Amino acid sequence: MCPVTRRAVHISLIAGIFLILYGCFLHPVIGPGYTLSVSVADAAHLKLEDIDFLDHVAVKEGFGQRRPASLSDEWECIHYVRDLNEPQFQHLQQYKFITLGWCYDFVKGQSSDIKRNIKHFNVGIDNDWVGQDPTIKQEIDRLGDVFYKALVERFGKENVKIERRRTGPPF
């Protein structure tokens, strides 16, 4: 194979790979979803009891069916899903839901403190499929504000940060 043809084949392969994997790096720019995350600084010295109140906030906001997920003894996540059956979401044909979850790591310590102290606490609210729809985006922002205010009341504004961004389906 001549050098020009070999170069064209390599460029075509590389371009093909980028086109196949476009969701990995372009979805934050052009993706159809929306995500909001609220994080609490580790300096807040969180304890597991400090975040139990979030279950009540989630239920009050219409989230049901708590689903704990733990992949290790040092990391845990809690997930909820809220179906959007309200009239303002009837125009959507599919993906009528918002997911809520929070994750944290356990701080290794003495045996009496194990699974009590936590760090890297983060709340995520999203719809990766149609979150850019104005009604869903507005609802995600409203829910983010509710959780942000609840965490600020407990841990102080200097320890809580909120971030909003576009996203896409997890491929």
Side-chain angles (χ1 to χ4, degrees):
M1 191 181 310
C2 76
V4 173
T5 305
R6 186 176 299 147
R7 183 178 172 106
V9 168
H10 285 129
I11 290 173
S12 297
L13 285 174
I14 291 171
I17 290 170
F18 281 127
L19 288 174
I20 289 170
L21 299 175
Y22 81 95
C24 294
F25 63 91
L26 285 181
H27 266 75
V29 178
I30 62 168
Y34 184 66
T35 187
L36 180 145
S37 65
V38 182
S39 57
V40 178
D42 292 339
H45 303 293
L46 298 167
K47 296 208 178 295
L48 194 54
E49 297 85 19
D50 292 334
I51 60 165
D52 284 341
F53 77 98
L54 291 178
D55 284 324
H56 300 291
V57 176
V59 170
K60 182 181 173 188
E61 291 300 326
F63 289 93
Q65 205 170 19
R66 179 181 194 217
R67 298 180 198 148
S70 178
L71 298 177
S72 75
D73 289 341
E74 299 170 7
W75 179 79
E76 187 165 322
C77 287
I78 308 296
H79 294 280
Y80 294 88
V81 176
R82 177 179 154 199
D83 292 325
L84 301 175
N85 297 322
E86 293 89 18
Q88 68 264 30
F89 303 110
Q90 293 305 316
H91 67 283
L92 296 170
Q93 300 300 316
Q94 55 186 353
Y95 308 118
K96 294 180 357 177
F97 60 87
I98 293 176
T99 59
L100 163 70
W102 54 84
C103 296
Y104 48 86
D105 295 326
F106 290 110
V107 177
K108 290 185 178 182
Q110 298 176 359
S111 60
S112 64
D113 288 338
I114 251 177
K115 292 206 172 194
R116 294 180 54 90
N117 296 325
I118 60 175
K119 64 179 180 176
H120 302 129
F121 182 75
N122 186 37
V123 176
I125 306 168
D126 61 56
N127 181 314
D128 289 332
W129 301 96
V130 292
Q132 288 297 315
D133 177 83
T135 54
I136 292 183
K137 190 174 183 179
Q138 182 179 10
E139 183 65 9
I140 291 172
D141 283 334
R142 186 192 69 76
L143 291 166
D145 291 341
V146 167
F147 281 90
Y148 176 78
K149 287 176 186 172
L151 290 168
V152 163
E153 286 176 8
R154 183 142 315 207
F155 303 111
K157 192 171 185 172
E158 67 279 357
N159 290 318
V160 182
K161 182 177 100 175
I162 191 167
E163 178 186 347
R164 305 163 200 270
R165 65 183 170 84
R166 183 181 281 245
T167 187
F171 293 122

